[in-house]
Amino acid sequence: MPERFLTRASAEQAPVAEQLSREIETFSMLSQADPKNVSLLYTVGMLYQLAGRPQEVCDHLYKAYLLDPERTDPQLLFHLANNLKAIGENDAAVNFYALAIGQVPTNAVNWVLAAISLDYTGRPQDSVRAFQTVLRLGPSARIESWVDIYLLSALVKVGHLRRALYRYELLVGSLAPSRTFSNLLTQNRPFKKTLKKYLTKLLALVYSEC
């Protein structure tokens, strides 16, 4: 990429980073003044997540969890588990995924998180059921795109390869040799890395069984 574009991008990102730093500082001060306020701890944790600092996310979300373990919001638990995984605390991540799954998800977003968590904790069959629940709830197009991608992977893991092939064709069209991923990847840029990771593996597995 030409240097002038890199310079311009950095200049555009600087004000955003500065604003985020100010918000972290402000809400951190509020949280210190009211250390038992779960909402403030959660807010600070989410701001640190935007800043890409998973250790600080874990510190604040864990404090929030300890204040009311029995009634902690499942999304807080999911965020805590994800960030624990990001810093390499996999055993702790599994524990918090399990806690989150134990609470009944009330909407499509929570069911997506639950399904991913079930897959991560070694329960792919339950993960498939959770993804199917998301689709029954009539999620938004963006959520449905994620479900389609992850459900493909989950179906392969539990050995339902023909069902996976069917869902694959619904997502990207015919499996004719001339078909490539290029159009799909262009139209779904946010999902590019995930698509490459899961769908290329899926193709190899499906063709080996068909």
Side-chain angles (χ1 to χ4, degrees):
M1 181 182 293
E3 185 176 345
R4 66 179 182 279
F5 291 122
L6 292 173
T7 303
R8 183 186 304 168
S10 298
E12 292 173 351
Q13 291 170 3
V16 176
E18 291 172 5
Q19 177 64 28
L20 182 56
S21 295
R22 286 195 295 269
E23 290 185 4
I24 289 174
E25 182 178 357
T26 299
F27 280 96
S28 294
M29 291 174 62
L30 291 171
S31 182
Q32 290 168 11
D34 189 5
K36 293 187 178 181
N37 189 314
V38 172
S39 295
L40 285 174
L41 286 167
Y42 193 6
T43 298
V44 176
M46 291 298 91
L47 288 171
Y48 275 121
Q49 180 158 297
L50 289 174
R53 295 166 62 179
Q55 182 62 63
E56 286 85 349
V57 177
C58 293
D59 293 342
H60 286 82
L61 296 191
Y62 186 64
K63 287 179 182 177
Y65 163 74
L66 290 178
L67 288 172
D68 196 357
E70 300 300 320
R71 294 189 297 176
T72 302
D73 186 283
Q75 289 197 37
L76 185 151
L77 298 173
F78 284 121
H79 286 303
L80 178 54
N82 286 336
N83 282 277
L84 285 167
K85 185 171 66 168
I87 63 174
E89 296 289 345
N90 291 328
D91 290 340
V94 168
N95 289 335
F96 280 101
Y97 277 132
L99 284 174
I101 292 166
Q103 301 190 33
V104 179
T106 57
N107 56 48
V109 173
N110 283 0
W111 273 109
V112 170
L113 294 169
I116 294 170
S117 304
L118 286 162
D119 185 35
Y120 182 74
T121 54
R123 296 164 62 184
Q125 188 64 59
D126 291 330
S127 178
V128 169
R129 295 192 185 99
F131 281 127
Q132 291 169 336
T133 298
V134 178
L135 296 177
R136 285 196 296 271
L137 290 173
S140 68
R142 185 174 187 275
I143 293 174
E144 189 168 345
S145 295
W146 276 107
V147 173
D148 282 331
I149 294 165
Y150 281 107
L151 184 52
L152 287 171
S153 175
L155 286 169
V156 170
K157 287 183 179 179
V158 297
H160 296 170
L161 298 182
R162 294 195 178 278
R163 287 178 61 197
L165 177 59
Y166 172 73
R167 295 205 66 83
Y168 178 89
E169 289 185 327
L170 288 178
L171 183 62
V172 300
S174 170
L175 285 173
S178 60
R179 179 88 179 180
T180 69
F181 290 137
S182 59
N183 291 337
L184 180 67
L185 296 179
T186 300
Q187 296 166 8
N188 297 275
R189 290 180 183 177
F191 309 126
K192 184 173 182 178
K193 291 183 179 178
T194 308
L195 282 164
K196 282 187 174 180
K197 178 181 177 182
Y198 286 105
L199 300 188
T200 52
K201 290 181 180 179
L202 175 70
L203 269 178
L205 287 165
V206 168
Y207 279 131
S208 69
E209 294 291 330
C210 291

